[in-house]
Every structure is written in structure tokens, then in C-alpha cells.
Amino acid sequence: MMTVLGCIADDFTGATDLAGILARSGVRISLHIGVPTQPPSETSPFEIIALKSRAANVSKAVAETRAALDWLQRAGAQRFFWKYCSTFDSTMEGNIGPVAEALMNDLGTAQTIYCPAFPENGRSIFMGNLFVGQQPLAESPMKDHPLTPMHDSNLVRLLRPQVTKPVGLADRLTVAQGASALRTKLDMLNAEGVAHVVVDAVADEDLLVIAEACRHMPLMTGGSAIAMPLPALYLADGTLSADAPKIPSPKVGRGTVILSGSCSAMTNKQVATYINKSAPTYRLDPLEIAKSGANAVLNWLKLQDLSQAPLVYATADPISVKATQDALGTAAIGKIIEEILALCAVAMRDAGARRIIVAGGETSGAVTKALGVTHLDIGAEIAPGVPWTFCQSDGNQMALALKSGNFGAPTFFTDAQNKLDLI
Ligand code: ADP
């Protein structure tokens, strides 16, 4: 199958978010963790490559993204999507602008659009200014982000120092007039040499207009929401045939284990909800594992009935997390916990678990790495932005649910199990 749209995401959970949204169409989506080392074979209509380039230095981010583009071109894609965060996470130098400009050069295209809006999640753009709920970006919690603090809300101004060519705006007044008005505006800006166009969007209807006007562009850039209308548009105009491969529902063994390394507010609720259900649970004590390693938890897991979906969690409230970090160092203890949860995943796979639910973006990265998984087939969506995924690990068909931070409802751990049982 020829790939219709090649997508590159600047982090892993951004890629799964995009995958889940595209999978709503029922069309098959493949997700690769890093640029595949093998040439494309048996590709899907939508191919996504997840990079870890958001906070990387500019030249590394550009090089990795160009390698991803090259692979996607070899998969047959002629249109491409560069996915970044809906809060436009970037530094003064990049990486959103430099990466987009490098992709444009390689594709020989003169213009692209920037639309990180995600109205369903409260991200909207008006007159070039990005809002998080009712707050301008630079007044939202993003102003204090440890890696990419955002001190300006205006996307045109943010983008300008990141690129060499002119930056412009197609505002909401144009978008409100529909796809052909927007097309005309983009053509006008193109004639003036404006290569980078921020496009306003405050509601899902705007995203539809923008996707319709821009679906033939070699390169579109934005958050995941702007890609949402694309599968239906491609099916309607025949770019994607009606018999395009569908999302798979392979037979997966029933043994389940849940591993939680996220300490977000929502994950704390999800763990508490699961404990209340009197499911088998084991709390990893950071001080204890830093001293004695994984033996105790692995011994506990060996005694568990995997049909009861036991949960191992390091999840803790902010005060205990802070105390642990002060005692053991933030990065050091983070890594120890990730490694132990990854060991649990491998041990449980070897003991017969075929369904693994993981909470935590970094934790998911550690678990997939330990399981040797680099290719995921996207399945049904459990919660917005979190699909079940299918993969092979050590010759076994497995299902993984990989959830970052605040995604999912308080009942996520049971929601995920129920969703897979329905397929
Ligand atoms: P999220 O998606 O919520 O950001 P991540 O897995 O990306 O979750 O990051 C959580 C980090 O916190 C991981 O490095 C994890 O190992 C670490 N961590 C988990 N539990 C604790 C704890 N009790 N104390 C300190 N750090 C923890």
C-alpha cells in the first residue's frame, strides 16, 4: 500500500496522540519509534515517525527529521505533516521553524502553514495569538516549562527568529470565509514571498476549512487536531481508496499487567481508582528500590494471576515526589524507576502477559525500548489521544496502551482493558 501521508512528530506521545486521532477514521496507521533502520515494506496509508527532537539541538533535530522525511518518501508519501505540540513548545532558535524550513527545502516547496490549534483541548489561535483555555500562551503554565518556557503568545513573532524566510498570518476573518478564501489568501502571501503562514483557528469548523484548503500542500505543520479532517478529505477526493487497509484487531493473549511511572494529577487519580477496585497492586518505594533493586517487585509479580491485571506503580503525590527527588536526585531516581518498570514489562512478557498498560511518557519510552519494540500498529482509541497499539516483542503478538501524563479518565486502567475485550 502506497503511503498517502507521511507524518513526523517531535516526541513520542505527540506521535501516539496524532496516531489516535488519525485512527478515528478506521484507516490503518503505523507508528515507528525513531527512523526505521530497514527500508519501507508493507507500509500503511498513514505512516508516523516519532522522534525525540523537541528539546534537541537544532542541527540534530533537523538531521533526524530529514532522515525521517527520506524514509517516508521512500514509502511513497507525497504529502507530509510535521507535528509539534499544541502549545508550540520551542526555544528562541527552534526547533519548529528550522525543521519546517529544512523539510520545505528538501521538498522544494515555497510555503507551509502553522496551526497548533486544538479547540477540543482548549488550544485556539486568534490574530496569530495562541491561547491555552482563556489565557494567552505566555500567561499559561507554559511560561514556567523547564525546557521550553513560552514568553510570547504571538506565533508570528515566535516563528520569525526561527526561520530565514518571511512569516505571515491568515487570520480568523479569512478562515471564517471558507476554504477558497483561505486558498486565495495563501496564494497572495505566496506571491509576496511569504513562506511561513500562521493560520488562526478557534473551533473544529476552522480546522476543517484549513485542512480542505491545504490538503494538497506538500507540507503542513501543526498540532494533531489539524490532521483530524485529512483522512475523510482524502477518502472523499479519492487520494485514499475506499478499500484502503483498516486498523487491525489481531488476536492477543489475555494476560495483563499495568505499569505506572507517571506522577501527574490524573495518573494519581487513576491509580487510586484502581486500588479502590481491590485489584492486586504493588507500590514501588523509591528509597527501597534505589537500595535493593527489582527483586522484591519481580517476586511479587511472579505470584500474581495475570487475568486479574496486577498494577505496579511508582506514582506518588507531588510532595512525596519532591522529597524523593531531593533525597536521590530527580534524573537518577527517575531513571531507576523507569528501568525497574521496564524490567517488570520484560519479565511479565516472558511470564505470558500479552497486554501491557503503561502510564507515563518517559516510562512508555523505557518499556518499549526494553521490549525491543520499534513499530506499532495503531488500534482502537481508549481515551482521546490514547489508542491501543499492537506490536511484536520477542516473537509474541502483544498489545500496548501507552499513556502520558494527564490523558484518560480516572477509570483509564479498566477502560483500557474493556476496550480491548470489545474488539
Ligand atoms: P508523565 O507522562 O506523567 O510526564 P513520565 O513517565 O514521562 O510521566 O515521567 C515521570 C517521571 O517521574 C519518570 O522518570 C519516573 O521514573 C519518575 N517517577 C515516577 N515515580 C516517582 C516517584 N515516586 N518519585 C520520583 N520520581 C518518580
Side-chain angles (χ1 to χ4, degrees):
M1 168 74 206
M2 195 82 122
T3 296
V4 168
L5 186 71
C7 307
I8 305 167
D10 68 353
D11 82 344
F12 176 66
T13 45
T16 48
D17 169 15
L18 175 64
I21 277 179
L22 289 170
R24 288 180 189 176
S25 66
V27 174
R28 186 166 185 175
I29 322 283
S30 285
L31 193 162
H32 306 271
I33 304 172
V35 182
T37 49
Q38 301 294 317
S41 72
E42 281 194 52
T43 56
S44 299
F46 294 89
E47 290 279 335
I48 304 174
I49 296 180
L51 301 177
K52 210 174 170 175
S53 59
R54 185 170 297 170
N57 69 44
V58 176
S59 57
K60 186 163 182 276
V62 165
E64 274 189 6
T65 315
R66 292 184 63 207
L69 174 69
D70 179 62
W71 191 92
L72 293 166
Q73 283 179 310
R74 283 189 281 140
Q78 297 191 349
R79 296 178 190 78
F80 301 88
F81 187 74
W82 163 230
K83 151 78 174 77
Y84 39 81
C85 191
S86 62
T87 41
F88 211 69
D89 302 16
S90 53
T91 61
M92 278 297 279
E93 303 80 41
N95 288 329
I96 294 175
V99 163
E101 212 155 53
L103 292 172
M104 290 167 79
N105 281 338
D106 284 359
L107 291 168
T109 184
Q111 193 181 56
T112 191
I113 60 148
Y114 296 79
C115 186
F118 198 154
E120 200 180 317
N121 287 349
R123 314 290 196 262
S124 54
I125 311 168
F126 187 67
M127 298 301 159
N129 293 283
L130 180 59
F131 291 82
V132 177
Q134 297 184 336
Q135 291 172 314
L137 177 65
E139 292 168 33
S140 77
M142 280 305 295
K143 70 183 190 311
D144 302 316
H145 191 280
L147 298 176
T148 51
M150 302 306 288
H151 297 309
D152 195 344
S153 308
N154 188 289
L155 299 182
V156 175
R157 259 191 327 249
L158 280 168
L159 203 50
R160 238 177 231 142
Q162 297 187 15
V163 291
T164 61
K165 302 236 171 74
V167 182
L169 172 68
D171 70 24
R172 175 82 208 311
L173 303 180
T174 303
V175 174
Q177 288 169 39
S180 69
L182 177 57
R183 201 49 275 156
T184 309
K185 175 73 181 176
L186 290 170
D187 289 345
M188 255 168 56
L189 290 168
N190 198 21
E192 292 164 12
V194 176
H196 306 280
V197 186
V198 172
V199 186
D200 278 354
V202 300
D204 281 352
E205 298 85 79
D206 297 336
L207 298 179
L208 191 57
V209 167
I210 298 164
E212 202 174 333
C214 301
R215 66 177 190 261
H216 294 304
M217 280 181 146
L219 178 68
M220 288 172 66
T221 88
S224 52
I226 186 68
M228 197 168 3
L230 291 176
L233 288 169
Y234 291 155
L235 281 166
D237 72 9
T239 305
L240 200 56
S241 68
D243 60 357
K246 300 288 178 280
I247 60 170
S249 48
K251 281 248 161 309
V252 187
R254 300 197 61 87
T256 305
V257 65
I258 308 174
L259 305 168
S260 181
S262 159
C263 295
S264 72
M266 183 50 85
T267 306
N268 270 285
K269 270 195 204 150
Q270 290 160 342
V271 167
T273 306
Y274 202 64
I275 292 171
N276 276 339
K277 233 182 69 81
S278 50
T281 58
Y282 184 100
R283 187 180 79 86
L284 281 179
D285 177 345
L287 294 171
E288 155 77 30
I289 56 170
K291 217 167 50 200
S292 328
N295 278 344
V297 62
L298 291 175
N299 286 336
W300 179 82
L301 274 171
K302 263 190 220 140
L303 302 173
Q304 300 310 306
D305 172 0
L306 294 179
S307 71
Q308 298 298 308
L311 161 70
V312 174
Y313 66 99
T315 307
D317 62 71
I319 294 169
S320 12
V321 171
K322 175 87 173 53
T324 305
Q325 288 173 336
D326 289 347
L328 299 166
T330 302
I333 189 59
K335 204 158 167 18
I336 291 173
I337 293 170
E338 287 166 31
E339 278 170 9
I340 286 189
L341 290 172
L343 278 177
C344 292
V346 173
M348 287 302 93
R349 175 200 66 197
D350 294 344
R354 295 292 174 262
R355 305 171 178 203
I356 304 186
I357 301 168
V358 187
E362 292 300 322
T363 310
S364 295
V367 166
T368 47
K369 194 161 174 210
L371 292 173
V373 170
T374 54
H375 176 219
L376 300 163
D377 249 326
I378 306 304
E381 205 175 28
I382 304 159
V386 199
W388 268 108
T389 68
F390 302 107
C391 61
Q392 298 285 323
S393 173
D394 200 27
N396 302 296
Q397 173 70 62
M398 311 247 328
L400 305 180
L402 307 166
K403 178 199 92 86
S404 74
N406 282 314
F407 284 80
T411 49
F412 179 81
F413 296 141
T414 33
D415 294 347
Q417 295 175 55
N418 294 340
K419 187 87 196 180
L420 205 55
D421 285 339
L422 289 176
I423 299 173

